[in-house]
Amino acid sequence: MKILKDILYKVSIEAVKGATDVAVNKITFDSRAVELNDLFVAIKGTHSNGHDYIEKALSLGAVVVICEEFPSVIVNGVTYVQVNNTNVALAFMAANFYENPSQKIKLVGVTGTNGKTTIASLLYQMFKKAGYKVGLLSTVKIMVDETEYKATHTTPDSITINRFLDEMVELGCEFCFMEVSSHGIHQKRTEALEFTGGIFTNLSHDHLDYHSSFAEYRDVKKVFFDQLPKSAFAITNIDDKNGAIMLQNTKAKKVTYALKSYADYKAQILENQFTGLLLKMNNNEVWSKLIGSFNAYNLLAIFATAKELGVEEQEALRLLSELESVSGRFQYIISKGKITAIIDYAHTPDALENVLNTIENIRGKNEQLITIVGCGGDRDKTKRPVMANIASTLSDKVIFTSDNPRTENPDTIIDEMEKGVEPQNFKKTISISDRKQAIKTACQLANENDIILIAGKGHETYQEINGVRHDFDDLLIVKEMLNQLNK
């Protein structure tokens, strides 16, 4: 139990009705989760308004309501606190409730369009190998040192973040690496956290279903760096045209990395093969099991972060060479029939182009590349024809299929993708809305030494159709199909 006036520390309050010395059991913004003596926060979301559920929260035992507008009926014995923005208030209250755990751990946030999961996950892996207790908040999973929890969002809500950070602190974790999404920044989920450092990967076409323009998307990312304290470091990819923008107003120590430009941390690709990368990094050669130029950037960001966190250079390079690829990120298998299948989360035009160019740079010229790709439903529609154009231009054969259609008709999504295919590339394309059938067809079309890229879902083990998540794992399905062919 915590006292309300302590929970409200640093919260900008407009008005209060009731007592502030009331004891609070827990904080929640989900009226269905309210129990006796809870504090309910009325959040104005994109699909629903928490203010409509205040009465329900009170019926379940809430004793405090945080709101942007007082309800028409005020119940005796309940404390109502009016604030300008309940998302911001929630961030500070969650931090206060768990006694500001981000101040007791070295928290590093990773933001950008592509590479967040890889960088955060590999930093977790690296510091574990170095002997530290470490936490991870990522799209793929949440780790409290050795204990794994399922992730539901790239950046969880403020309560979840602080609850897990508190667990990490209690367990003695020294570091936590966290993905920071544009949604998370915009919805103030990271507002009251104290970061030791921030990393910018790159910026490309994504989430324009949520943000009104690319400029807004970029500026939301920039807010994260604007809010870093003077004691923190801000690491940016200076090869990306938006990299310098991220550092414009930050008070943090400015650090740059690049493959092409002058930077504090520099790398050169010496070899790029299916077996890995040979890099020259700050005048040292290092071999990595990861593949592709996009991973060269990721490895450079990881190296820079390790150095800024105090890891000795040779130790950082040694640990870098031991890192294993992240689930669903350029993850590949080779069948007995010598067909290579690659699973990758590439779900933006830039990420898809990077993966396809990486394959093109590595492969010989005698085999064919078959790409399976779809686009998510209820998301940014403008990238659909762009992704189809990239796939059909850079592949020998393309199968357009379902990703997570959600509430949309999969065939409608595919129709919108097909509009981006150039006339000369139409003969390369097939449309099969059933994703399992699409993978099966690709396996049947493939010959010895051919490459199949299955893009878009990566680590996901489900397919969301009409609000229902069905078991679906690209890696397991392609293994099954290739094994059937081998028999």
Side-chain angles (χ1 to χ4, degrees), residues 37-285:
N37 297 322
D38 280 357
L39 180 156
F40 175 68
V41 187
I43 300 288
K44 288 183 177 178
T46 50
H47 300 297
S48 63
N49 186 345
H51 291 73
D52 298 333
Y53 299 93
I54 290 174
E55 190 178 332
K56 181 183 178 183
L58 295 178
S59 72
L60 292 172
V63 292
V64 180
V65 173
I66 310 295
C67 51
E68 293 178 13
E69 300 132 20
F70 286 134
S72 54
V73 177
I74 300 297
V75 178
N76 286 332
V78 174
T79 301
Y80 298 83
V81 180
Q82 185 183 11
V83 297
N84 180 54
N85 186 316
T86 48
N87 281 301
V88 175
L90 176 62
F92 281 99
M93 289 189 297
N96 292 333
F97 189 86
Y98 289 101
E99 299 180 359
N100 294 288
S102 67
Q103 296 175 7
K104 304 168 189 174
I105 193 169
K106 289 177 180 172
L107 177 63
V108 177
V110 189
T111 196
T113 304
N114 303 311
K116 296 188 298 295
T117 301
T118 297
I119 290 172
S121 300
L122 293 184
L123 278 166
Y124 166 84
Q125 195 184 124
M126 173 187 260
F127 278 76
K128 284 292 293 174
K129 286 178 181 290
Y132 294 99
K133 287 190 173 183
V134 192
L136 172 69
L137 294 166
S138 81
T139 303
V140 177
K141 59 188 174 184
I142 293 169
M143 297 296 298
V144 179
D145 197 38
E146 303 284 355
T147 307
E148 181 176 330
Y149 298 90
K150 189 176 180 181
T152 56
H153 294 79
T154 299
T155 304
D157 63 81
S158 301
I159 300 168
T160 304
I161 292 170
N162 282 281
R163 176 165 56 84
F164 279 117
L165 287 176
D166 185 50
E167 278 190 39
M168 292 171 198
V169 169
E170 287 292 312
L171 201 64
C173 293
E174 293 184 54
F175 302 92
C176 175
F177 301 103
M178 172 183 176
E179 289 187 55
V180 178
S181 68
S182 60
H183 290 67
I185 300 165
H186 189 256
Q187 293 170 13
K188 312 297 183 183
R189 297 179 215 160
T190 59
E191 190 81 8
L193 300 177
E194 190 167 305
F195 286 90
T196 299
I199 305 165
F200 171 74
T201 62
N202 50 65
L203 211 63
S204 64
H205 192 123
D206 200 16
H207 299 308
L208 298 190
D209 56 310
Y210 181 85
H211 301 287
S212 61
S213 65
F214 184 84
E216 186 203 299
Y217 175 49
R218 177 200 65 209
D219 292 345
V220 166
K221 295 282 189 187
K222 184 178 176 295
V223 167
F224 172 67
F225 294 93
D226 291 350
Q227 293 178 339
L228 288 176
K230 191 176 180 180
S231 58
F233 57 79
I235 298 175
T236 193
N237 173 6
I238 206 69
D239 279 347
D240 187 286
K241 61 185 178 183
N242 296 289
I245 293 173
M246 298 298 143
L247 301 183
Q248 281 176 351
N249 301 319
T250 189
K251 297 183 286 291
K253 177 187 175 183
K254 298 177 181 180
V255 181
T256 58
Y257 68 95
L259 293 180
K260 302 170 186 173
S261 313
Y262 175 79
D264 299 309
Y265 294 91
K266 192 109 170 56
Q268 179 185 357
I269 299 172
L270 302 178
E271 290 181 29
N272 186 6
Q273 305 168 7
F274 269 125
T275 50
L277 281 166
L278 179 63
L279 299 172
K280 190 173 184 180
M281 195 174 285
N282 277 21
N283 296 315
N284 293 282
E285 286 192 10

Side-chain angles (χ1 to χ4, degrees), residues 371-477:
T371 297
I372 301 166
V373 65
C375 289
D378 304 331
R379 295 295 185 270
D380 183 0
K381 295 183 178 184
T382 61
K383 69 182 182 184
R384 294 172 183 175
V386 180
M387 289 184 68
N389 181 43
I390 290 166
S392 58
T393 301
L394 299 177
S395 310
D396 297 301
K397 287 190 176 76
V398 180
I399 302 176
F400 297 133
T401 190
S402 297
D403 189 279
N404 290 317
R406 299 184 178 90
T407 64
E408 284 194 72
N409 183 330
D411 292 324
T412 302
I413 297 172
I414 291 170
D415 287 346
E416 291 177 3
M417 291 180 71
E418 288 175 343
K419 290 173 183 174
V421 180
E422 299 287 342
Q424 69 272 20
N425 292 326
F426 259 114
K427 62 181 182 295
K428 299 181 183 180
T429 69
I430 309 170
S431 295
I432 304 172
S433 59
D434 184 300
R435 192 173 180 91
K436 186 171 183 178
Q437 187 60 44
I439 295 171
K440 182 177 181 179
T441 302
C443 293
Q444 290 170 334
L445 290 171
N447 299 311
E448 186 176 311
N449 297 323
D450 284 351
I451 301 164
I452 300 170
L453 170 64
I454 308 173
K457 288 177 56 59
H459 64 281
E460 292 178 353
T461 55
Y462 64 86
Q463 189 175 31
E464 188 176 333
I465 303 169
N466 291 323
V468 179
R469 289 190 171 187
H470 305 268
D471 289 344
F472 199 100
D473 188 320
D474 284 348
L475 183 62
L476 292 180
I477 289 169

Side-chain angles (χ1 to χ4, degrees), residues 118 277 279 290-300 329-330:
T118 297
L277 281 166
L279 299 172
L290 276 66
I291 302 161
S293 58
F294 57 93
N295 271 322
Y297 279 105
N298 293 336
L299 289 163
L300 197 49
R329 268 64 178 178
F330 213 95

